[in-house]
Amino acid sequence: MSLRLGDTAPNFKATTTAGDIDFYEYLGDSWGILFSHPADYTPVCTTELGRTAQLKDEFAKRDVKVLAVSVDALDRHQGWVRDINETQNTTVDFPIIADETREVAGLYGMIHPNASETFTVRSLFVIGPDKKVKLTLTYPASTGRNFNEVLRVVDSLQLTAKHSVATPADWNPGEKVIVALSVPTEQAQEKFPKGVEIVKPYLRYTEI
Ligand code: BEZ
């Protein structure tokens, strides 16, 4: 059974480019992003890990710890990191898990046999400080992920974890949000001092 939203993200111990880790200890009380790529020394994966490294400050601002994983060996990861740094004009300093035994891939359902028997697909999990799965993404090998979108979702997840709101289609930080259905309209004005715009009883906007 694959992992679903709200499930507990499984813990594991792993060998990584940043040394041996216990996943939960590595995350501590932070948010986490665990994402798999199909294989080292491949073009799309090179751009994805490079982009992730470039966004280091953005992840840090949001208290998100990032880890990549593939079934490649540690020495391949180490050699490939030099290529990523050189070609993507960055420095990869988040851990890349060497999952040769496929333990992590198995726990997180990252191998989709009808896509590839051997490689992990492009899976991505956002994990909350409570170790619950907050978001899952699955992309095929041929399509690189949009890491601006990953940051945008993290912003939405963190906002909606703190306030009784939801974020509308194409929302970006700073824009109007939707008052959660759980908040009765008579309480909404008090809860959201910047005001509530009622379009329909079920569609109410506010600002945070
Ligand atoms: C890539 O990263 O470009 C890639 C990896 C595995 C299969 C196909 C493409």
Side-chain angles (χ1 to χ4, degrees), residues 40-188:
D40 295 357
Y41 295 104
T42 55
V44 176
C45 300
T46 300
T47 62
E48 285 196 326
L49 272 75
R51 183 71 184 130
T52 304
Q54 290 165 2
L55 292 170
K56 173 183 173 167
D57 292 347
E58 295 299 322
F59 288 116
K61 238 193 262 174
R62 293 162 175 82
D63 191 26
V64 176
K65 293 195 175 164
V66 174
L67 303 95
V69 55
S70 79
V71 300
D72 293 273
L74 184 62
D75 60 340
R76 272 181 76 79
H77 282 340
Q78 287 163 337
W80 181 47
V81 162
R82 288 192 285 276
D83 281 6
I84 300 170
N85 292 346
E86 177 195 327
T87 62
Q88 308 304 304
N89 196 24
T90 192
T91 303
V92 172
D93 60 5
F94 55 84
I96 308 175
I97 297 166
D99 191 31
E100 286 185 277
T101 62
R102 302 181 177 201
E103 182 195 343
V104 178
L107 285 171
Y108 283 80
M110 292 166 165
I111 293 182
H112 296 204
N114 292 322
S116 167
E117 289 279 358
T118 37
F119 298 137
T120 44
V121 293
R122 298 188 195 284
S123 296
L124 185 146
F125 296 84
V126 177
I127 297 159
D130 58 359
K131 307 292 180 294
K132 303 285 187 204
V133 174
K134 306 294 182 187
L135 176 89
T136 66
L137 279 181
T138 308
Y139 276 43
S142 52
T143 305
R145 285 157 287 197
N146 183 332
F147 286 86
N148 293 322
E149 169 62 4
V150 173
L151 288 174
R152 192 192 72 90
V153 179
V154 168
D155 285 335
S156 170
L157 289 169
Q158 293 186 342
L159 186 79
T160 59
K162 217 160 126 194
H163 302 278
S164 300
V165 298
T167 58
D170 296 339
W171 172 87
N172 278 300
E175 295 177 357
K176 289 192 300 189
V177 297
I178 290 173
V179 176
L181 288 171
S182 57
V183 181
T185 295
E186 49 287 8
Q187 286 172 22

